[in-house]
Amino acid sequence: VQLQASGGGLVQAGGSLRLSCAASGRIFSRYSMGWLRQAPGKERQFVAGISWSGGSTYYADSVKGRFTISRDNAKNTVYLQMNSLKPDDTAVYYCAADPGNASRQRYDYWGQGTLVTVSS
């Protein structure tokens, strides 16, 4: 499966952005999807995940209540709505896919990243 993320940019603290990730190739609806991020000088970290049906979602504690992951299987797209953004959210955001259970938060397929910069 090929993944193409978009929607990053520069936003002020407190603002919002919505990231999108378009998938092609294998059957998108059979894959768990996730968003991860990597800030400068830090390790990549899990942000949010969603099951193949969209019925189960998972979030890192740092983004709970602010970020929402969703998917549209008809459009082969997964989204990350990010609200109340903080400077600490600044990172390159990656979308990822895996045929396994979303609760594992492990991914075999990765897209290129999209940069999110939050200014104070």
Side-chain angles (χ1 to χ4, degrees):
V1 60
Q2 291 78 45
L3 305 170
Q4 180 75 35
S6 61
L10 174 64
V11 63
Q12 288 188 332
S16 299
L17 279 176
R18 188 175 82 155
L19 306 183
S20 299
C21 177
S24 60
R26 301 194 180 193
I27 301 174
F28 173 77
S29 61
R30 294 184 181 175
Y31 283 71
S32 300
M33 300 295 297
W35 288 95
L36 297 91
R37 68 186 181 187
Q38 187 166 20
K42 296 186 178 180
E43 294 186 353
R44 190 175 296 182
Q45 65 173 182
F46 171 80
V47 175
I50 189 167
S51 62
W52 65 269
S53 68
S56 297
T57 55
Y58 306 86
Y59 296 95
D61 288 343
S62 59
V63 306
K64 280 181 182 176
R66 301 188 298 122
F67 290 12
T68 303
I69 188 170
S70 61
R71 67 190 294 163
D72 185 337
N73 287 344
K75 295 183 178 179
N76 285 4
T77 303
V78 62
Y79 305 97
L80 185 68
Q81 178 66 44
M82 306 185 294
N83 298 329
S84 302
L85 282 161
K86 305 175 182 179
D88 283 350
D89 295 318
T90 295
V92 176
Y93 284 71
Y94 299 88
C95 66
D98 193 83
N101 194 295
S103 63
R104 299 194 316 161
Q105 298 172 16
R106 293 168 56 186
Y107 302 94
D108 284 344
Y109 302 93
W110 294 82
Q112 95 297 348
T114 186
L115 177 62
V116 172
T117 304
V118 184
S119 62
S120 57

